[in-house]
Amino acid sequence: MVPLFDPKPQHERVAGEVEAASRAVMESGQFILGPNVQAFEKEVADYHGVNDSIGVASGTDALHLALLAAGVMPGDEVITSPFSFIAGVEAIYYCGAVPVFADIREDTMNMDESSLEGLVTERTRAIMPVHIFGLSCDMHQVMSVARHHGLKVIEDCAQAFGARIDGQPVGSFGDAGCFSFFPTKNLGGYGDGGQVTTNDAELAARIRMLRNHGSEQRYYHDVIGFNSRLDELQAAALRIKLRHLDEFNAARRYIAGRYLEGLSGLDLKLPVEGEGYHHVYGQFTIQVKDRDAFRAALNERGIASAIYYPIPLHRQKVTEGRFRGVRLPVCDAVSETCVSLPMFPGMSDAQADEVIAAVRAVV
Ligand SMILES: *Cc1c(COP(=O)(O)O)cnc(C)c1O
């Protein structure tokens, strides 16, 4: 069986270093907001060429705290993609705000940047672009709409650590970039974790307070905050994995290249990577016609696959009713044809070729 994702090759690459670093943390006795979190925050900021970054407990919390710190308030509208994981929409609702969904583009599966202008109202406070599957949205277009209307931009970079446009990494375009270290992500930890990148010193200070019970100085609480800290063990491991991240992303891009070549000329849609874009393939997602039959046939040949995402966010039970009149035809269509193939650093050429042969046999 070729699995969808396998964390073991990555672990084997860093196991010795991670074990030594974890032991050092355990022996230090300092587990919360210690030297590893501090160093990792600087390293993540440097990686992105931004002034600061803040470690938090998850990607979901990164989005929530970034929206709060950016001033998103009850009644505000946040424009985002309906074709994503639920976390961004949860974060919007945590703030008492409401999502406004832009339809997506069929080729990139990102929200259609050219539709944003038409969705702005006087209640719009922010845009939350999601760099889906590891491909950046057109951030120049997003930023131009945002600047024109004075909106904040909170990038959901959970699937795209290391993705770039003309060399500039996602998470460095908007007011804040939000990352997840869930184990399957491009920079995966050994548990949950998240991070916010920003050039805005005030925003960074607010997120630092919010993640730590609303306090800057211990036992002086200025606002109602949260317990949402990245822990030292995760930070110690992530510091090591960050040094290997470009290598891991190159491995994903190598597999993607093999797929793109091996699957060309078939009756299916392959992922695109526009001029100047650097895709990091958090997922390798194609679009096929008879998806259920396609997946069953792959499964018979020992190839795992997954559907991200079968139910768009405007059709989820949790949002039902609120979006009944909303028409998002491209998103609805893509949610019925999308299917993700195995993708992980350390996947062998033989495994990739097995996937290619199976897809060619069944499509
Ligand atoms: C994984 C993910 C998140 C949430 O990250 P967690 O660390 O699991 O909370 C948010 N947005 C997207 C697009 C994701 O894929």
Side-chain angles (χ1 to χ4, degrees), residues 37 40-46 48 50-70 91 128 153-158 161 170-181 187 193-211 228-230 238:
V37 168
F40 183 61
E41 288 181 342
K42 170 136 193 352
E43 288 156 7
V44 170
D46 289 348
H48 291 93
V50 297
N51 294 336
D52 206 350
S53 94
I54 307 99
V56 295
S58 70
T60 307
D61 281 7
L63 291 161
H64 179 202
L65 301 192
L67 287 170
L68 279 179
M128 182 193 281
V153 174
I154 309 299
E155 296 176 64
D156 182 341
C157 309
F161 203 117
V170 299
S172 70
F173 292 92
D175 296 276
C178 301
F179 295 84
S180 164
F181 305 129
L187 181 59
Q195 195 96 356
V196 182
T197 51
T198 185
N199 277 314
D200 181 337
E202 247 178 71
L203 194 108
R206 257 179 261 145
I207 293 173
R208 279 210 168 80
M209 283 180 90
L210 288 170
R211 75 162 173 193
S228 179
R229 298 165 302 218
L230 183 68
L238 287 164

Side-chain angles (χ1 to χ4, degrees), residues 217-258:
Q217 193 186 341
R218 196 176 276 187
Y219 308 124
Y220 291 74
H221 305 279
D222 301 352
V223 294
I224 291 294
F226 302 86
N227 177 349
S228 179
R229 298 165 302 218
L230 183 68
D231 68 72
E232 280 286 294
L233 274 169
Q234 289 307 325
L238 287 164
R239 290 183 68 195
I240 292 156
K241 290 196 78 180
L242 179 60
R243 289 181 217 131
H244 294 270
L245 178 77
D246 287 345
E247 166 201 324
F248 291 147
N249 278 343
R252 287 177 184 268
R253 287 177 57 81
Y254 170 77
I255 298 293
R258 217 172 168 89

Side-chain angles (χ1 to χ4, degrees), residues 87-162:
V89 161
E90 287 177 319
I92 292 167
Y93 281 119
Y94 295 159
C95 298
V98 291
V100 171
F101 293 116
D103 203 354
I104 63 169
R105 291 171 51 149
E106 194 193 48
D107 55 354
T108 64
M109 296 176 270
N110 278 324
M111 66 180 190
D112 185 350
E113 300 87 349
S114 69
S115 73
L116 297 176
E117 188 73 50
L119 296 171
V120 175
T121 73
E122 65 226 18
R123 292 200 300 169
T124 309
R125 175 75 58 143
I127 304 176
M128 182 193 281
V130 184
H131 308 302
I132 203 74
F133 305 141
L135 178 69
S136 179
C137 294
D138 179 345
M139 286 309 295
H140 299 301
Q141 205 167 350
V142 172
M143 294 313 296
S144 123
V145 174
R147 280 201 201 94
H148 185 235
H149 294 281
L151 307 175
K152 297 287 184 185
V153 174
I154 309 299
E155 296 176 64
D156 182 341
C157 309
Q159 302 185 1
F161 203 117

Side-chain angles (χ1 to χ4, degrees), residues 70-84:
V72 171
M73 292 194 287
D76 287 346
E77 293 176 356
V78 180
I79 301 172
T80 192
S81 174
F83 191 62
S84 179

